[in-house]
Amino acid sequence: MANIASARKRARQSEKQRQHNASLRSELRSAVKSVRKGIAAGDKVAAKAVYQRAVSTIDIIADKKIIHKNQAARHKSRLSAAVKAMA
């Protein structure tokens, strides 16, 4: 444990930020899973609607640098391709 007051404060802040980032990362995973569920259900209209919400979530999380912008682009590209490939 840190001995200096400023180091203790930094440790508290770091932990709080880590938890916040973890919740955002969880939100990202949930958004991706919801699109995958929509695709598996086979309803293209519903899948497109869920995809639009997921893209918004992915962009917000990438803007906050929780994930890299290229990772966000990769997620969006793969989900988009999967939605478009639906019969």
Side-chain angles (χ1 to χ4, degrees):
M1 187 63 194
N3 291 326
I4 298 168
S6 60
R8 285 194 295 267
K9 180 178 179 180
R10 173 47 63 193
R12 286 194 309 270
Q13 289 174 327
S14 294
E15 178 59 20
K16 190 173 179 181
Q17 190 62 47
R18 186 191 67 77
Q19 289 176 352
H20 184 254
N21 290 346
S23 74
L24 289 176
R25 233 177 266 118
S26 174
E27 193 178 319
L28 167 78
R29 292 185 189 115
S30 296
V32 171
K33 281 181 191 174
S34 67
V35 176
R36 294 267 179 226
K37 264 190 203 170
I39 292 167
D43 185 3
K44 192 166 187 173
V45 176
K48 277 187 178 181
V50 175
Y51 170 74
Q52 288 300 323
R53 285 196 301 273
V55 165
S56 176
T57 301
I58 291 168
D59 285 337
I60 289 166
I61 291 169
D63 286 342
K64 293 179 181 180
K65 297 188 172 119
I66 306 301
I67 62 169
H68 195 274
K69 62 185 173 68
N70 291 356
Q71 185 181 4
R74 188 169 62 245
H75 275 300
K76 292 190 297 186
S77 174
R78 288 177 181 171
L79 290 174
S80 175
V83 169
K84 286 179 183 174
M86 290 177 70

